[in-house]
């Protein structure tokens, strides 16, 4: 690869890694707010369908980015970003923990009770999310490359959706079990939130398939990559 193209590829990789980490950390910080997206007025186990955490809004971006990295940069590069995301999340956890212990001044716009109300569960949430995330992301990358090798680089839609569907289910199941175990969410909402979360993520995953096709097409055209070919160092 020419030096100019190599520098461009590395720059894009860093941008994708930054977006991945920002989306991951943000999703862990805002998860306590729930909203109701209501294309259908349906209740499942006393939870409205698509009554989900706002943390789910940036989270699917991480799976789209790992699919892009897996397709263009390869399995190792994708795993490197996942590991970087783990360290970034635990570092944010440390900052939150320290911030909770520092008393607010009398004139602070955010007092201790407000801060604890918003971020009080964040350490447990980040821990729960990280365990789920660790399982889900590595499974997503492994399943993605299984289908990529099996189809010999063809049928991008198949590996994108199959890898994301399986990993998103594992992620949602694991994080809900942990959050309910920590008494952050009541167990009577478990099944409803599981079904709503999985369906919501599956819809988002299906919607991002055209975006993945466009991005992969742009990469292949710019770097003259063949079907199934990846950028090398």
């Amino acid at each position: 690869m020419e030096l100019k193209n190599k520098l461009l590829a590395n720059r894009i990789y860093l941008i994708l890694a930054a977006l991945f980490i920002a989306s991951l950390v943000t999703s862990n910080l805002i998860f306590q707010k729930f909203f109701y997206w209501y294309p259908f007025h349906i209740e499942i186990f006393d939870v409205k369908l698509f009554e989900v955490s706002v943390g789910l809004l940036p989270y699917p971006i991480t799976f789209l980015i790992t699919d892009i990295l897996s397709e263009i940069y390869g399995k190792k590069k994708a795993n490197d970003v996942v590991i970087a995301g783990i360290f970034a999340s635990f570092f944010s956890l440390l900052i939150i923990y320290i911030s909770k212990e520092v008393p607010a001044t009398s004139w602070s716009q955010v007092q201790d009770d407000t801060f604890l109300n918003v971020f009080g569960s964040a350490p447990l949430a980040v821990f729960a999310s990280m365990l789920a995330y660790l399982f889900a992301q590595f499974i997503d990358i492994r399943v993605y490359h299984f289908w990529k090798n099996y189809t010999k680089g063809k049928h991008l839609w198949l590996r994108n959706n199959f890898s994301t569907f399986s990993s998103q289910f594992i992620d949602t199941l694991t994080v809900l079990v942990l959050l309910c175990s920590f008494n952050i969410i009541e167990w009577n909402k478990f099944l409803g939130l599981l079904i709503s979360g999985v369906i919501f993520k599956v819809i988002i995953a299906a919607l991002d398939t055209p975006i993945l096709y466009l991005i992969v097409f742009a990469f292949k055209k710019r770097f003259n990559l063949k079907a199934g070919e990846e950028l090398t160092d």
Side-chain angles (χ1 to χ4, degrees), residues 75-190:
K75 185 177 181 180
K76 183 181 182 302
K77 289 285 190 178
N79 283 330
D80 286 345
V81 171
V82 172
I83 294 171
I86 293 173
F87 280 106
S89 294
F90 278 114
F91 183 68
S92 69
L93 172 63
L94 176 62
I95 294 174
I96 291 171
Y97 182 81
I98 294 173
S99 300
K100 285 172 57 181
E101 301 303 316
V102 178
T105 62
S106 59
W107 48 264
S108 175
Q109 293 294 314
V110 178
Q111 289 296 309
D112 289 330
D113 55 347
T114 304
F115 189 89
L116 288 173
N117 188 42
V118 176
F119 295 108
S121 300
L124 290 177
V126 171
F127 176 73
S129 178
M130 282 303 94
L131 290 179
Y133 159 81
L134 182 63
F135 288 124
Q137 283 289 2
F138 284 121
I139 287 174
D140 180 79
I141 294 171
R142 182 177 292 273
V143 173
Y144 188 96
H145 279 276
F146 167 80
W147 285 107
K148 185 177 182 179
N149 294 331
Y150 185 79
T151 60
K152 298 179 180 180
K154 300 178 181 179
H155 308 304
L156 176 60
W157 64 270
L158 187 146
R159 55 183 175 274
N160 173 53
N161 287 285
F162 274 35
S163 64
T164 302
F165 291 171
S166 57
S167 60
Q168 293 282 26
F169 174 77
I170 292 171
D171 170 65
T172 307
L173 175 65
T174 306
V175 75
L176 282 176
V177 167
L178 291 170
L179 290 177
C180 288
S181 299
F182 291 140
N183 296 319
I184 296 174
I185 296 177
E186 297 177 358
W187 278 105
N188 61 359
K189 294 183 179 294
F190 174 80

